[in-house]
Amino acid sequence: MKARVHVMLKNGVLDPQGEAVRHALGAMGFDKVEGVRQGKVIDLELAEGATEADVTEMCEKLLANTVIERYEIKLV
C-alpha cells in the first residue's frame, strides 16, 4: 500500500516561502496570482498490514508540526 501525505501551513499562519514565490511570479509577469501557500508532499510505501491509523500517527509524531501545520492523507 502507498500513502500520499500533503502537509500545509494552517490558515492564519504566515507563509514566507509562499509569499516569496508569489513575489517572484509577479516579477516574472504573472500578475494574476494573488496568493501562494507552499507545502510539502510525502509519499510513503507501506508494508503489508499498515493502516491509515499508522500513517496518522506518523504525521502526528514526525511528518507534520501539528501546532502550525495541517495534513491530509490519501491512500493509493
Side-chain angles (χ1 to χ4, degrees):
M1 176 172 61
K2 295 181 181 182
R4 177 164 283 170
V5 180
H6 292 263
V7 181
M8 299 290 291
L9 289 171
K10 290 180 177 178
N11 291 335
V13 176
L14 295 178
D15 185 353
Q17 289 178 312
E19 185 59 22
V21 170
R22 187 198 63 75
H23 179 73
L25 288 170
M28 295 173 67
F30 298 105
D31 55 357
K32 293 181 175 73
V33 177
E34 294 181 350
V36 176
R37 300 289 286 178
Q38 186 189 357
K40 57 188 170 188
V41 175
I42 302 166
D43 286 329
L44 302 170
E45 292 190 31
L46 304 168
E48 187 175 328
T51 65
E52 186 170 352
D54 294 325
V55 179
T56 297
E57 185 175 4
M58 293 175 205
C59 290
E60 293 287 327
K61 291 186 175 182
L62 176 68
L63 301 178
N65 176 351
T66 56
V67 174
I68 62 170
E69 294 175 322
R70 61 182 173 81
Y71 59 88
E72 297 174 5
I73 300 167
K74 181 178 180 184
L75 300 178
V76 290

